[in-house]
Structures are given as C-alpha cells and as structure tokens.
Amino acid sequence: MTQRRHTTVRRLMDAYGRTHAEEAGIKLRNTPAPLYQLLTLCVLFSVRIKADIAVAAARELFGAGMRTPRAMADSSWQDRVDALGRAHYRRYDESTATALGAGAELVLDRYRGDLRQLRDAAGRDPERIRELLREIPRIGPVGADIFCREAQTVWPELRPSFDDRAREAASKLGLPSSPDRLARLVDTETLPRLAAALVRVELSKNAVDDLLRTG
C-alpha cells in the first residue's frame, strides 16, 4: 500500500470505522441470537430513517427482551410500537412493528429460529443468501447488503462484501474500487468495519474532502 493510501485508510477507519452492529451492542457471532439481532437491525435500516435512530430503535427492542425470533414473535404489536417510539422511530413505527412480527414468524417457521439454516438453504452462495434474506418482510436490497456487509466476519463466503456505495466512496478517495483489491487493504476481521466506513463516507456530506485534506 502506498503511503497516501495508508494515510487515507487510517483516517477513514479512525473517523468512520465502526459497524452498525457494534453501535447497537450486538456481539456478532455465528450463533442464532446475534445473527437474528443483526437481521432486526437490517429491518430497521430498510426505510428512510437516520442511522442513529435505527440503532437506538434496535437497542430499545433488545433492551425490552426482543433479542430472539421467539421473543419477538411472542411480544405484542403494541410492545414493539412502544419500543420503537422510545427511540423516536417515527412514521414507520407501526408498519415496522408489523414487519418485525411477521419476520420473526417466518424465521421460526422456515429456519427454526436459526439463520444458519438460511445460510445452509442457500448452499452458502452469496447471491442466494441475499435472495433468501429479501424474502423476509421489509428486507430489500439495502437491508440484504447491510446484513452481508456485517456478517462477512462470521460467514466467510460473503467476503469481500462491498456494495455499490462503498465502492463509489473508495473511488472518490483514490482507493481501489474492486472488492478483491479493497479487501487487501485491511485484515479479514476488519473488512466489515472498512465496508461500513466507506458507506458512511458516501452518505456523509464533505466526508471525502475532509479525509483527503492534508495538513
């Protein structure tokens, strides 16, 4: 890596290198509960809402005990609405409460509450994983991208996962725009943080200029 790229990556990671899962207090492992919590977070991100509000909503849901698909399915619709309301998750609180309940039931019925079974059903094929994720209520391409971006640390077949927004930001920063070349900039465990950082840059006004500014 050239010195300029090294400096850019260091500044990028220092300023933006945190995943949504980390912010929501999810200790991501290849076990049912944290994988479901990540899915819940992706549902919350799948509407036009500020990232900090989506993260706060996840924390409220988890704090109310809705950390597993069984707990989510057993909660009342009003409990879910109330948790979202405490996070100021406005406009989408009622529809999201419905989607969370329906999604929990689907995960229980189809995958016995364990998203590792979704992975197996997809034959561990990244595109098929995305397709099956999009069958879960409210999860669209953006939600599926977020899940794969963050889950690549525990599901190796998803590596390297850099969506269009991440690659666009990389290009603006003078970094490689291909997933394979981007992956060479950091170690494997840091891939989700790099991908998340690049997306944050793409969504943040003036971030590219700030990172490239010298002196």
Side-chain angles (χ1 to χ4, degrees), residues 10-11 22 29 102 142 208:
R10 176 177 54 78
R11 289 177 176 173
E22 289 170 338
R29 298 184 301 277
V142 171
V208 171

Side-chain angles (χ1 to χ4, degrees), residues 39-47 49 54 57-58 61 84 89 96 100:
L39 180 70
T40 297
L41 186 60
C42 294
V43 170
L44 296 170
F45 267 99
S46 293
V47 295
I49 202 151
L61 289 165
L84 295 171
Y89 194 94
T96 299
L100 287 168

Side-chain angles (χ1 to χ4, degrees), residues 1-181:
M1 193 189 317
T2 67
Q3 182 59 40
R4 181 175 180 179
R5 282 185 178 175
H6 176 80
T7 300
T8 299
V9 170
R10 176 177 54 78
R11 289 177 176 173
L12 172 68
M13 297 302 289
D14 286 347
Y16 300 100
R18 60 196 182 279
T19 66
H20 294 313
E22 289 170 338
E23 289 185 321
I26 301 169
K27 296 181 180 179
L28 195 56
R29 298 184 301 277
N30 190 31
T31 54
L35 288 171
Y36 176 71
Q37 290 161 23
L38 175 60
L39 180 70
T40 297
L41 186 60
C42 294
V43 170
L44 296 170
F45 267 99
S46 293
V47 295
R48 291 182 177 276
I49 202 151
K50 292 181 178 180
D52 58 342
I53 293 177
V55 168
R59 285 184 170 274
E60 287 291 343
L61 289 165
F62 302 154
M66 298 173 230
R67 302 184 186 91
T68 67
R70 171 51 60 198
M72 187 69 77
D74 286 348
S75 68
S76 71
W77 177 82
Q78 190 62 55
D79 286 341
R80 298 191 292 272
V81 169
D82 290 345
L84 295 171
R86 289 193 295 273
H88 306 290
Y89 194 94
R90 306 300 186 195
R91 294 178 56 198
Y92 305 102
D93 52 348
E94 295 187 355
S95 62
T96 299
T98 300
L100 287 168
E105 293 288 358
L106 184 150
V107 172
L108 287 167
D109 293 344
R110 191 176 298 179
Y111 305 116
R112 298 184 181 180
D114 187 348
L115 289 173
R116 294 175 299 182
Q117 292 195 21
L118 178 150
R119 182 191 188 194
D120 291 341
R124 303 197 177 191
D125 176 74
E127 286 310 309
R128 184 59 179 153
I129 287 172
R130 285 179 168 85
E131 289 174 3
L132 292 181
L133 285 169
R134 291 197 296 270
E135 293 179 1
I136 295 169
R138 186 58 69 81
I139 296 289
V142 171
D145 280 343
I146 294 172
F147 186 95
C148 292
R149 184 175 80 212
E150 305 231 348
Q152 64 182 310
T153 188
V154 293
W155 290 1
E157 65 273 15
L158 297 176
R159 302 173 194 153
S161 186
F162 293 93
D163 61 25
D164 291 343
R165 291 174 299 182
R167 295 196 297 272
E168 181 67 22
S171 180
K172 292 176 182 178
L173 290 169
L175 300 175
S177 57
S178 77
D180 287 339
R181 292 181 65 198

